[in-house]
Amino acid sequence: MRPGLVAVLLLAGCAGAPASQGIHDPLESFNRAVHASNKTSDRLLVRPASQAYGAVVPEPLRQGVSNLADVLALPGDIANGLLQGNVEEAGTNLVRLAVNLTFGLGGVIDFADAAGIPEHKTDFGETLAVWGVGEGPYLELPVLGPSTARDAVGSVVDLALNPLNGVLEGDDRIAAAAAGVLSRLNDRYRYSATVDSILYDSADSYAQARLLYLQNRRFALGQSGGGAAEGATDDSFIDPYEDPYGQ
Amino acid sequence: MASNPLLSRRAFVGAGLAAAAAFGALPAAALSVDEARALIDKVVADINGVINSGKSEAQMMPSFEKLFARYADVPTIARSALGVAARSASNAQMKAFTKAFQHYISHKYGRRFREFIGGKIEVKDARPLKSYYEVISTAYLKGEAPFEVRWHVGDKSGKNLFFNIIIEGVNMLASERTEIGAMLDKRKGNIDALIADLNAT
């Protein structure tokens, strides 16, 4: 916890404007080296493992494991929702947790989804954004992939402060971690065609992954294209008539 | 968690759909918000028709290329994707590049259409955006949380056409600028080599 908080303070100290635009990647050569090694581990390990998981384990079972992983993430989502002052989303997540634990065989069946209770996934990176911490430089992390300085700190804090840390012990803790890993493998399997095309068909997979991550993350954090009237000035608008060559 | 290997799962679907996204044109007049919406209504109806037509993936591809050619401002999108290199290209090169780009983009996205079979897109809203319009739609795919697809529509080409698609924040023009720029770099700036390779995709 302490190293995380120190890092947060450091980050807050050098934070720029919260609404980030463009690509800020001063560590590009380091990031590209990490990207190359992530691609190698995807090719040799993650992709083959996901193909085996998809081929061997039937879809309903894989979905059940992913549902369980989502339920296990809810306490963290609730804590972050409260830290963001978003009582409504934290409350909805609490209801989800209660409903799925009660009627969903301990989280394996997403009963809440069928009941129309939405899921609000969040994380400490978003909490930092709500608190006004700037995005910081782009980072590609080993194993975890595309991130930013702010989101990397968020990932560390989420791991260190997960409310389940004090609850789950021994085999339960290992099973929870395994559900998380299998859920990621299931995503890698389900979106295999798209992930493969980004990683292996792009002329520059590093640049493509960086762009997709930053755009999607800023959208998720409500910094661009959020439907507000000020959308006209956001990062997502490109005018190919006024600026035909994208300068 | 933001820590998928690459992106959120919706972004993956989004990137695929962005590809799917290209389709449509109507006769021109001064564009209004209702016309922009009507254009995308038509685009979306055509897309829904193709993905639920029961055709094979290979049969769908020409349909998608036709949609793209009819409803999108392909010359403008292609020029923007090529970036500054477009300024020094000859007219003949730009013509060949635009044609190759249309082939490339419809096939790139066509390959992933399998994922959209059984799904549908619904137009929800439209609003002015600078001197253009933004039409907001929601995509519903089997087994996925619904996600947002925005269309930027204008009439500066002389016709009402869309020129960008933004799926969960992921922007087609920006992605293709990055990709085409990287392809051109790999070919040491040789546009003719780029055109040949795009045609071969």
Side-chain angles (χ1 to χ4, degrees):
Chain A
M1 164 169 183
R2 248 174 223 135
L5 284 183
V6 171
V8 169
L9 294 175
L10 280 174
L11 206 63
C14 59
S20 307
Q21 290 212 335
I23 289 169
H24 179 47
D25 189 4
L27 303 173
E28 181 165 346
S29 55
F30 167 79
N31 285 335
R32 281 190 181 272
V34 175
H35 181 74
S37 105
N38 281 344
K39 254 175 97 166
T40 303
S41 43
D42 181 77
R43 198 174 62 241
L44 299 180
L45 192 69
V46 179
R47 190 181 187 284
S50 74
Q51 295 293 328
Y53 182 54
V56 171
V57 181
E59 204 275 333
L61 197 54
R62 278 184 278 123
Q63 190 58 52
V65 172
S66 293
N67 289 344
L68 182 63
D70 284 349
V71 165
L72 291 169
L74 279 171
D77 292 337
I78 294 165
N80 277 304
L82 292 174
L83 289 172
Q84 292 158 22
N86 197 332
V87 178
E88 192 187 326
E89 290 192 356
T92 312
N93 280 334
L94 185 62
V95 173
R96 265 190 88 81
L97 182 62
V99 166
N100 278 347
L101 286 179
T102 312
F103 303 109
L105 295 180
V108 177
I109 296 170
D110 192 353
F111 193 85
D113 194 54
I117 304 166
E119 181 180 25
H120 298 290
K121 287 196 178 193
T122 185
D123 50 61
F124 198 71
E126 179 163 11
T127 300
L128 291 174
V130 169
W131 289 354
V133 176
E135 186 180 82
Y138 178 75
L139 283 179
E140 180 152 343
L141 302 175
V143 186
L144 296 178
S147 188
T148 59
R150 182 177 65 201
D151 290 336
V153 171
S155 299
V156 171
V157 173
D158 279 326
L159 271 179
L161 294 188
N162 189 326
L164 290 180
N165 289 353
V167 180
L168 297 179
E169 282 173 353
D171 287 350
D172 286 350
R173 203 160 174 176
I174 294 169
V181 170
L182 289 174
S183 172
R184 299 267 300 269
L185 278 186
N186 194 37
D187 287 345
R188 179 67 183 86
Y189 176 73
R190 287 185 67 189
Y191 306 110
S192 184
T194 307
V195 182
D196 286 351
S197 89
I198 295 164
L199 284 183
Y200 303 112
D201 296 340
S202 299
D204 182 350
S205 63
Y206 172 76
Q208 202 58 238
R210 177 179 62 188
L211 181 71
L212 294 181
Y213 176 80
L214 289 175
Q215 290 187 341
N216 182 248
R217 182 65 175 159
R218 288 167 188 169
F219 173 80
L221 298 185
Q223 291 177 0
S224 73
E230 69 270 22
T233 57
D234 73 36
D235 202 18
S236 66
F237 184 72
I238 294 177
D239 188 336
Y241 300 96
E242 288 295 310
D243 179 20
Y245 307 110
Q247 286 164 307
Chain B
M1 290 289 287
S3 50
N4 261 349
L6 268 170
L7 298 162
S8 80
R9 64 179 73 165
R10 286 198 289 176
F12 284 130
V13 179
L17 193 69
F23 321 85
L26 287 178
L31 185 59
S32 72
V33 70
D34 289 339
E35 285 172 333
R37 186 178 175 134
L39 173 77
I40 301 305
D41 273 333
K42 202 161 175 320
V43 174
V44 159
D46 282 7
I47 296 175
N48 290 338
V50 175
I51 58 180
N52 296 308
S53 63
K55 287 183 185 175
S56 72
E57 203 175 290
Q59 289 170 320
M60 282 184 192
M61 278 213 260
S63 309
F64 281 116
E65 182 160 356
K66 247 182 246 163
L67 280 172
F68 193 76
R70 192 183 312 148
Y71 297 119
D73 187 354
V74 178
T76 298
I77 295 168
R79 187 184 55 216
S80 174
L82 189 55
V84 283
R87 275 198 305 201
S88 51
S90 71
N91 285 343
Q93 278 177 322
M94 281 313 291
K95 215 175 148 196
F97 172 75
T98 301
K99 198 162 163 274
F101 180 81
Q102 181 176 307
H103 171 87
Y104 149 84
I105 200 156
S106 44
H107 281 71
K108 176 176 178 176
Y109 293 112
R111 265 184 231 110
R112 291 188 218 129
F113 284 148
R114 196 166 56 85
E115 296 166 26
F116 311 136
I117 292 170
K120 68 176 159 76
I121 306 169
E122 280 175 15
V123 173
K124 301 286 184 188
D125 197 13
R127 65 189 182 108
L129 176 64
K130 299 199 175 179
S131 48
Y132 309 96
Y133 292 95
E134 181 171 66
V135 180
I136 300 163
S137 62
T138 304
Y140 301 88
L141 301 192
K142 265 193 303 191
E144 305 292 342
F147 58 90
E148 183 196 275
V149 182
R150 287 168 185 251
W151 310 76
H152 289 172
V153 178
D155 61 359
K156 290 195 182 174
S157 64
K159 274 197 209 166
N160 299 342
L161 297 168
F162 75 82
F163 58 89
N164 203 358
I165 304 159
I166 296 150
I167 297 165
E168 294 276 314
V170 176
N171 183 312
M172 179 185 71
L173 273 183
S175 298
E176 290 311 322
R177 273 181 183 174
T178 299
E179 179 63 9
I180 297 294
M183 289 180 82
L184 194 60
D185 284 349
K186 273 196 165 174
R187 289 155 187 82
K188 302 192 169 26
N190 184 334
I191 293 182
D192 295 323
L194 175 69
I195 292 167
D197 289 344
L198 288 177
N199 275 323
T201 54

